[in-house]
C-alpha cells in the first residue's frame, strides 16, 4: 500500500487526493507532510482518488502537496490525564498547558462500534441533581438525554455549572463539556467560572468553536463522547455529558454534506440527518459499570417545532427543560418554567406514587394560579373567592420554595449554595400544600434549601 498521496483539488474545506496504490479506508486520517492540515477521508471517487473533509483550516493548501495516510481514524486522548484541560477536536490543548503526551495518556479512535444491546442497563434510574425544581417536576433519567432550552441571560450557563458541581460532589463522577460552534467569549467565560468554583479539576472541556471549519465542528461531538465513554467503561464512573449546542452539530453536518455535493432533503438539511444524529445520540447510555447522562442545549429554528432538525433531536430526549425569561426577570432562579417542562420518567412505577402525586398537585396549583393572574391584574386579589385566595397563597409560596441558591453563584450573591435531596423537596412541597406556611411571609421561603 502506498501511504502517500498527492492533492489534486482543493475546494473550500474539501480536499481531493490521488494515491498510486490502494487508497486509504473511509474515515482514515490524512496529514500534510510539511504542515498542520488534517483531512478525514469521506468518499472514494475511483480506484485511486479519495475525497476528504479538512478538520483544520486549508489556508495555504495547494495542488501537488503530499498527504500522508496515518492508517487510523481520528484519535483523541482519554482517561484521567484529560481532567481539568481544554482540548480541541484533535486533542490539542487550548488552555496554554503542556500537550497530552507520554505513557500515561491513551489515545482512542472516535470511530468504533457502540456497546451491544445486551450490555445496556435496563433498570430505569433517576439522576438526582440536588436542584429542587428539576428533581420534582422534571426528573432526569440516569443514562438518558435531556434537552435544555434557554436564550441568553436566563441562567443556562449557571445551571450547567451547578450540574457539574453536583455531579462531582454527589455522584463522585466526572463531567465532559462539549462546545459545538461555541463563541470564543462563551468558552472563556465558562472556563474561568469553572476554575473559580473549583469544579474544573473533574471536568474536561472539548471545543469546536464557531470560527473553525465545519469538519471540526461536526466531529467534536464524537470526540467528547469518546472521552466520556472511556470514563464510563474503563473507570466505571458516572459521567455528565453537556453539549452546547446540539443544533450546531446538525448545521455542521449540513455544511459538510453540501460541500461533498450531496443533494439536500427538505429545508436544505442533509439526507443523512437522522442517521448522523442517531450515530451520536445512541452511544449515550447506561451500563452496569456506569452511565453517561447528557444534557443538551437546543436551538429551535424560528421556534418551529416541526422543523426536521427539531423533530429528530426531540425524539432522542427523555426530559425537556425550559428556561423562562419571564421567571428570570422576576428573580426566580433557577428560571426553569415548571409548566413547560416534561419528563418521561415522571411515572408512578418509576418515581413512586408519592413523588408522582406531589408533582401533579404542584403543577396543578401553579397552572390554576397562572389562569387567575389576569383576573388579579384587572380586579385585584380581594375579588377572588376564599378558595381561590388560598390557592394563590399556596402557589406563590411554592414558586418561592422552588428557587434555590447555587454553589456556582455564592461568590456573587453571598448566599451559600444548597443541595436538596428529593425527600426534603417532597416534604417541603407537602407542607406548603397543606397550608402549614399560610401565616408566614412569602420571602421566608425564597432562596433557601430544605425547610
Amino acid at each position: 500500500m502506498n501511504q502517500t498521496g498527492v492533492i489534486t483539488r482543493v475546494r473550500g474545506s474539501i480536499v481531493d487526493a490521488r494515491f498510486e496504490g490502494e487508497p486509504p479506508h473511509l474515515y482514515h486520517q490524512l496529514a500534510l507532510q510539511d504542515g498542520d492540515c488534517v483531512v478525514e477521508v469521506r468518499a472514494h471517487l475511483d480506484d485511486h482518488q479519495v475525497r476528504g473533509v479538512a478538520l483544520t483550516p486549508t489556508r495555504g493548501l495547494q495542488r501537488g502537496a503530499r498527504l500522508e495516510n496515518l492508517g487510523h481514524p481520528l484519535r483523541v486522548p482519554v482517561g484521567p490525564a484529560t481532567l481539568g484541560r481544554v482540548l480541541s477536536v484533535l486533542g490539542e490543548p487550548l488552555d496554554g498547558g503542556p500537550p497530552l503526551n507520554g505513557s500515561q495518556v491513551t489515545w482512542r479512535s472516535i470511530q468504533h462500534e457502540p456497546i451491544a444491546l445486551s450490555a445496556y442497563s435496563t433498570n430505569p434510574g433517576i439522576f438526582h441533581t440536588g436542584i429542587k425544581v428539576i428533581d420534582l417536576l422534571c426528573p432526569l433519567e440516569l443514562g438518558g438525554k435531556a434537552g435544555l432550552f434557554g436564550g441568553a441571560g436566563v441562567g443556562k450557563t449557571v445551571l450547567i455549572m451547578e450540574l457539574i458541581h453536583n455531579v462531582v460532589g454527589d455522584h463522585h463522577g466526572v463531567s465532559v463539556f462539549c462546545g459545538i460552534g461555541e463563541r470564543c467569549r462563551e468558552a472563556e467565560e465558562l472556563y474561568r467560572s469553572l476554575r473559580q468554583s473549583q469544579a474544573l479539576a473533574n471536568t474536561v472541556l472539548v471545543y469546536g468553536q464557531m470560527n473553525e471549519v465545519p469538519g471540526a465542528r461536526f466531529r467534536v461531538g464524537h470526540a467528547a463522547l469518546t472521552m466520556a465513554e472511556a470514563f464510563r467503561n474503563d473507570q466505571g464512573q458516572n459521567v455528565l455529558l453537556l453539549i452546547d449546542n446540539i443544533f450546531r452539530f446538525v448545521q455542521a453536518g449540513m455544511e459538510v454534506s453540501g460541500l461533498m455535493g450531496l443533494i439536500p432533503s427538505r429545508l436544505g438539511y442533509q439526507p443523512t440527518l437522522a442517521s448522523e444524529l442517531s450515530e451520536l445520540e445512541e452511544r449515550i447510555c447506561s451500563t452496569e459499570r456506569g452511565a453517561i447522562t447528557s444534557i443538551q442545549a437546543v436551538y429551535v429554528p424560528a421556534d418551529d417545532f416541526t422543523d426536521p432538525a427539531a423533530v429528530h433531536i426531540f425524539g432522542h430526549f427523555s426530559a425537556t427543560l425550559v428556561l423562562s425569561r419571564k421567571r428570570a426577570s422576576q428573580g426566580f432562579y433557577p428560571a426553569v418554567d415548571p409548566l413547560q417542562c416534561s419528563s418521561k420518567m415522571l411515572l408512578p412505577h418509576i418515581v413512586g406514587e408519592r413523588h408522582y402525586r406531589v408533582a401533579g398537585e404542584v403543577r396543578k396549583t401553579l397552572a390554576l394560579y397562572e389562569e387567575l393572574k389576569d383576573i388579579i391584574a384587572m380586579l385585584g386579589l380581594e375579588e377572588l373567592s376564599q378558595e381561590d385566595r388560598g390557592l394563590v397563597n399556596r402557589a406563590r409560596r411554592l414558586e418561592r420554595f422552588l428557587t434555590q441558591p447555587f454553589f456556582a453563584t455564592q461568590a456573587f450573591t453571598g448566599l451559600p449554595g444548597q443541595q436538596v435531596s428529593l425527600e426534603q423537596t417532597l416534604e417541603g412541597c407537602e407542607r406548603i400544600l397543606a397550608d402549614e406556611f399560610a401565616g408566614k411571609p412569602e420571602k421566608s421561603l425564597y432562596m433557601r434549601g430544605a425547610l
Side-chain angles (χ1 to χ4, degrees):
M1 180 185 295
N2 191 342
Q3 296 291 330
T4 303
V6 178
I7 295 178
T8 58
R9 186 184 185 194
V10 180
R11 179 168 50 89
S13 296
I14 298 299
V15 179
D16 293 354
R18 180 178 181 82
F19 289 78
E20 293 303 326
E22 183 180 344
H25 296 299
L26 287 179
Y27 305 122
H28 270 201
Q29 190 176 342
L30 310 179
L32 202 64
Q33 286 187 329
D34 55 353
D36 298 326
C37 187
V38 176
V39 177
E40 182 185 56
V41 177
R42 297 298 297 269
H44 286 180
L45 302 180
D46 55 36
D47 290 345
H48 298 285
Q49 288 199 88
V50 299
R51 175 165 292 169
V53 176
L55 303 179
T56 53
T58 55
R59 286 188 300 269
L61 210 59
Q62 61 182 5
R63 293 173 60 185
R66 305 192 70 81
L67 283 174
E68 180 183 358
N69 176 18
L70 301 185
H72 57 74
L74 178 64
R75 291 177 177 175
V76 292
V78 299
T82 60
L83 292 174
R85 302 301 304 271
V86 185
L87 305 173
S88 71
V89 67
L90 301 176
E92 299 170 345
L94 301 176
D95 53 7
L100 292 172
N101 295 319
S103 58
Q104 296 182 344
V105 179
T106 303
W107 291 75
R108 188 165 296 174
S109 170
I110 67 170
Q111 296 286 344
H112 59 82
E113 291 294 326
I115 64 171
L117 288 175
S118 58
Y120 277 47
S121 175
T122 56
N123 297 322
I126 300 298
F127 181 80
H128 294 291
T129 64
I131 301 173
K132 290 182 286 190
V133 65
I134 296 178
D135 289 342
L136 175 68
L137 299 176
C138 189
L140 306 183
E141 180 185 3
L142 187 65
K145 296 168 278 287
L148 177 62
F149 302 84
V154 296
K156 182 174 63 178
T157 302
V158 172
L159 184 58
I160 285 174
M161 288 167 49
E162 188 71 9
L163 287 167
I164 291 174
H165 176 276
N166 293 354
V167 165
V168 171
D170 195 38
H171 292 268
H172 305 290
V174 298
S175 301
V176 179
F177 181 87
C178 175
I180 305 178
E182 278 283 280
R183 298 172 182 87
C184 299
R185 170 186 57 81
E186 296 172 338
E188 191 275 334
E189 287 176 356
L190 179 62
Y191 175 74
R192 181 159 32 87
S193 301
L194 289 175
R195 188 171 55 185
Q196 291 174 352
S197 63
Q198 309 298 319
L200 184 62
N202 290 83
T203 306
V204 185
L205 294 95
V206 191
Y207 283 106
Q209 294 177 161
M210 186 174 283
N211 62 325
E212 296 191 30
V213 293
R217 286 182 273 121
F218 182 72
R219 284 302 181 202
V220 69
H222 299 88
L225 183 54
T226 302
M227 297 178 188
E229 287 174 328
F231 285 114
R232 180 195 64 190
N233 300 336
D234 301 344
Q235 312 290 328
Q237 291 180 302
N238 288 331
V239 184
L240 177 64
L241 175 63
L242 298 146
I243 300 178
D244 186 12
N245 186 303
I246 192 62
F247 178 75
R248 295 192 189 121
F249 168 78
V250 175
Q251 280 186 315
M254 183 166 54
E255 292 180 51
V256 171
S257 175
L259 289 169
M260 292 290 293
L262 300 181
I263 299 175
S265 62
R266 192 161 61 96
L267 297 183
Y269 288 106
Q270 62 270 39
T272 53
L273 168 62
S275 59
E276 287 176 356
L277 191 62
S278 300
E279 181 185 351
L280 180 72
E281 297 282 5
E282 294 306 309
R283 286 167 61 179
I284 302 172
C285 62
S286 61
T287 67
E288 296 299 330
R289 284 186 55 81
I292 299 176
T293 304
S294 179
I295 298 178
Q296 305 173 15
V298 183
Y299 165 72
V300 181
D303 293 333
D304 181 12
F305 286 83
T306 63
D307 186 89
V311 170
H312 285 98
I313 291 172
F314 292 148
H316 294 280
F317 290 155
S318 58
T320 302
L321 290 167
V322 180
L323 297 182
S324 166
R325 190 173 300 279
K326 180 181 178 182
R327 291 184 65 81
S329 66
Q330 294 172 335
F332 295 143
Y333 290 105
V336 177
D337 192 327
L339 300 180
Q340 294 191 51
C341 295
S342 63
S343 173
K344 296 178 182 177
M345 305 302 289
L346 193 58
L347 297 171
H349 66 278
I350 296 178
V351 299
E353 290 287 347
R354 181 192 178 200
H355 185 172
Y356 181 75
R357 174 179 52 80
V358 172
E361 290 179 6
V362 169
R363 199 185 295 271
K364 178 182 176 182
T365 303
L366 294 175
L368 291 174
Y369 174 49
E370 195 68 29
E371 294 176 2
L372 292 172
K373 281 184 177 179
D374 289 339
I375 299 176
I376 296 171
M378 290 186 292
L379 303 177
L381 187 64
E382 295 76 14
E383 297 300 320
L384 296 179
S385 66
Q386 190 68 30
E387 181 182 351
D388 285 345
R389 270 186 277 180
L391 184 142
V392 171
N393 188 302
R394 289 190 294 274
R396 290 178 64 85
R397 281 156 177 77
L398 281 172
E399 279 186 333
R400 282 148 182 80
F401 175 64
L402 293 179
T403 61
Q404 187 171 342
F406 281 175
F407 292 93
T409 59
Q410 60 185 4
F412 311 105
T413 63
L415 299 173
Q418 298 279 346
Q419 262 189 278
V420 184
S421 68
L422 178 61
E423 175 62 32
Q424 292 171 326
T425 302
L426 294 177
E427 181 187 353
C429 290
E430 286 174 334
R431 293 171 67 184
I432 294 173
L433 289 168
D435 288 334
E436 185 175 329
F437 298 93
K440 299 285 184 181
E442 296 172 356
K443 64 180 181 180
S444 65
L445 300 174
Y446 178 70
M447 277 295 172
R448 61 179 299 150
L451 294 179

